Amino acid sequence: MIGVTKSERDVHIMNVNLSNGGAMGSEVSETADVVVVGAGISGLVAARELSRAGLRVIVLEARPRLGGRVWTDRRLGRDLEIGGTWVHWLQPHVWAEITRYGLPITRGPRPEQVYWLAGDRVRTGSIDDYLQLIEPGMRRLTAATMTWLPRPAENPNDRTDLSEIDGFSIQDKLDELRLGDDEYHANEAAWIGHFNGPLADGAFTSALRWTAATAGSWQLMHEASAVFRLSGGTEALVAALAADSRAEIRTQAEVCRIDHHPEGADVQTSDGRRISARRVVLTLPQNLLGDLDVQPPLNEDKRAAAREKVASRGVKVWIRVRGPIAPFAAYSSADHPLAVVRTEYVGDSDAVLVGFGADATRLHPEDIDAVTRALTVWRDDLEVLEVTGHDWMADPHSRETWLMHRPNQLTRYLDGQQRTEGVLHFAGSDTANLWPGFIDGAIERALHTSRDITDTLTPHLTGSPAGA
């Protein structure tokens, strides 16, 4: 991890919550070239790029940790990904960072058996049996992907009239296929796992965007979105980005108001600190952005999207069961609290499963009895020892899981969500062109935003770079 110790990595990360001994009070005002709001992946990449260009950068993160919606935590005897997890070499921006920092990749065990539902009946077979079952539906559903999105790395609204199909939900298009029970429920469960929400709420164009990112191959899309992960956890990437930055990164520093004008902006935190900056980078998720007090207000596209919310509102739960067990995967339907469960870790005396459900209100990730009942849809022979997770929908600093648009949101709002407003710039995975909602999308938007700011500000710099 670029050859630094933990103490060296943390030297420029400050906890400025006054109740925990922050050194500066509300009477203090500061200046910076750029304030970055949020220390998730997008905020950290933006901070690295801008600070290494010689700009004075301050990062303000409301949480007591870095990473945002990626979070590796020691639970159930393993280092578990509580939020975003999977990466792939077909995701160019994150793969470049993985290569840059020399981060090794691993994967979970391949399932030896797969369970799926046909009505109320449980079917079993191999992973190849399951893939063959869903293949006709997946192929038909995504057949026109590259017609609609021939260049997925560009803004999808630039070249095609997506409004013709953006009003359809993934449920609409799945129903049009008129599949049999076995095939329908198997496809339904797979897409619920991707959307992390009810399929009637999820835009068909979101399914097309994921598939377009893998050149129209639904098989590669499934692999790229749910198989490979960082051996050292996403925390390894977070730590590498923070260590490679010259920015001052402050945790427990929640931004409560931004006043902006043509020459700059004043950023105020909840403890009364004020920072004047020439530019501000906002990396907040779509669901959260509308809650921030910004004067003059943000454009109507950003505010309308925030009011409508994203389609994803599900749950991710980690489950430790008594072992040994053979690795398996299981798929249910929209009627069940967990739509997808699979084995991620296998030990001599236990195994750890990961599960996803469409509605966080139906299953709390720390309710062991509810999780045990949910598993009995497929298997009543598993002894659940512990469960854990995080309610991202209730988290005041996210209020969403990952981005999946509702019908019409892509064509109505994305252009306005990406648009710079005076000195305010917008990054974050939710507004990415390629791989929105992924770690890759967060890096993409940070790089675009950082380049725009650097091109504007660095010609006016004098003296040596900050931190040199």
Side-chain angles (χ1 to χ4, degrees):
M1 197 184 305
I2 67 175
V4 295
T5 66
K6 184 176 189 299
S7 61
E8 289 170 333
R9 289 199 308 268
D10 291 347
V11 70
H12 60 301
I13 300 175
M14 298 174 53
N15 182 322
V16 297
N17 187 317
L18 295 183
S19 63
N20 291 329
M24 299 182 185
S26 60
E27 73 281 359
V28 175
S29 293
E30 301 177 80
T31 60
D33 291 311
V34 185
V35 167
V36 177
V37 181
I41 295 295
S42 195
L44 291 173
V45 170
R48 179 194 66 191
E49 297 296 300
L50 294 166
S51 65
R52 295 188 71 84
L55 296 167
R56 170 167 162 69
V57 180
I58 298 175
V59 182
L60 302 176
E61 168 56 50
R63 294 181 172 94
R65 61 172 180 83
L66 307 183
R69 283 178 286 171
V70 299
W71 178 17
T72 310
D73 204 23
R74 186 72 180 175
R75 304 186 190 183
L76 310 188
R78 272 89 171 174
D79 290 329
L80 301 180
E81 297 297 346
I82 307 303
T85 305
W86 291 285
V87 296
H88 198 275
W89 46 92
L90 291 176
Q91 297 167 355
H93 305 94
V94 71
W95 203 256
E97 300 294 341
I98 289 168
T99 303
R100 177 177 185 150
Y101 297 119
L103 304 177
I105 300 296
T106 188
R107 60 162 297 167
R110 182 177 172 84
E112 296 180 13
Q113 191 163 30
V114 177
Y115 302 81
W116 65 90
L117 298 185
D120 293 328
R121 294 172 297 167
V122 178
R123 305 289 197 187
T124 61
S126 68
I127 185 63
D128 291 333
D129 293 333
Y130 176 75
L131 293 175
Q132 289 173 14
L133 175 64
I134 66 173
E135 194 278 335
M138 286 287 175
R139 174 170 41 81
R140 290 167 59 197
L141 190 74
T142 61
T145 295
M146 301 314 293
T147 300
W148 288 109
L149 295 168
R151 296 184 179 180
E154 299 175 355
N155 183 311
N157 294 317
D158 284 349
R159 291 177 56 92
T160 56
D161 187 10
L162 285 176
S163 59
E164 294 181 21
I165 59 166
D166 199 26
F168 291 100
S169 71
I170 183 69
Q171 185 76 65
D172 293 333
K173 290 299 183 178
L174 190 60
D175 289 347
E176 284 181 6
L177 301 181
R178 300 187 182 279
L179 305 173
D181 280 352
D182 275 36
E183 194 177 356
Y184 181 89
H185 288 304
N187 276 275
E188 177 190 47
W191 283 111
I192 289 172
H194 289 316
F195 274 78
N196 204 223
L199 298 188
D201 293 344
F204 177 54
T205 49
S206 287
L208 294 183
R209 292 180 78 191
W210 280 28
T211 312
T214 55
S217 170
W218 70 265
Q219 296 96 333
L220 279 177
M221 182 271 287
H222 281 256
E223 179 184 285
S225 61
V227 176
F228 297 96
R229 62 178 189 264
L230 293 167
S231 297
T234 54
E235 66 179 358
L237 177 58
V238 169
L241 291 170
D244 206 12
S245 174
R246 296 173 180 171
E248 183 178 311
I249 304 172
R250 302 176 181 176
T251 58
Q252 292 186 277
E254 182 176 12
V255 173
C256 62
R257 181 182 172 100
I258 298 174
D259 293 279
H260 62 108
H261 47 85
E263 290 75 37
D266 296 318
V267 180
Q268 183 172 325
T269 60
S270 56
D271 61 14
R273 295 173 63 91
R274 299 184 307 280
I275 304 172
S276 296
R278 299 164 70 189
R279 296 291 187 273
V280 176
V281 178
L282 289 159
T283 68
L284 303 181
Q286 175 174 315
N287 284 9
L288 199 63
L289 187 58
D291 294 342
L292 183 62
D293 184 5
V294 179
Q295 299 299 328
L298 300 177
N299 68 39
E300 177 56 21
D301 287 341
K302 294 183 178 73
R303 289 182 286 131
R307 289 193 300 268
E308 290 181 13
K309 311 302 181 189
V310 303
S312 302
R313 64 167 191 259
V315 63
K316 177 182 183 180
V317 58
W318 289 96
I319 310 162
R320 188 168 78 91
V321 299
R322 190 174 302 281
I325 67 167
F328 74 94
Y331 301 85
S332 64
S333 70
D335 297 329
H336 298 278
L338 287 178
V340 180
V341 172
R342 69 167 182 264
T343 309
E344 280 292 313
Y345 299 93
V346 176
D348 294 335
S349 60
D350 68 355
V352 175
L353 320 175
V354 64
F356 295 90
D359 189 344
T361 66
R362 297 184 62 187
L363 184 78
H364 194 280
E366 296 184 346
D367 185 338
I368 190 170
D369 292 333
V371 172
T372 301
R373 288 194 298 272
L375 284 177
T376 60
V377 169
W378 310 280
R379 299 187 60 168
D380 58 7
D381 61 325
L382 296 174
E383 182 183 352
V384 178
L385 303 175
E386 297 177 272
V387 298
T388 192
H390 182 70
D391 188 347
W392 291 101
M393 296 303 299
D395 186 324
H397 305 308
S398 64
R399 295 192 183 147
E400 64 178 75
T401 55
W402 59 85
L403 175 98
M404 299 300 282
H405 280 131
R406 294 177 181 271
N408 295 310
Q409 286 186 338
L410 174 63
T411 49
R412 285 178 181 170
Y413 304 135
L414 181 61
D415 290 344
Q417 288 175 300
Q418 292 182 346
R419 188 176 303 130
T420 298
E421 300 192 41
V423 299
L424 305 184
H425 298 254
F426 299 86
S429 184
D430 286 9
T431 58
N433 291 334
L434 186 70
W435 294 112
F438 285 77
I439 296 171
D440 189 83
I443 298 167
E444 172 207 310
R445 293 312 303 164
L447 293 175
H448 279 289
T449 298
S450 301
R451 186 180 64 247
D452 289 346
I453 295 174
T454 302
D455 288 348
T456 302
L457 295 187
T458 52
H460 307 291
L461 284 177
T462 58
S464 59

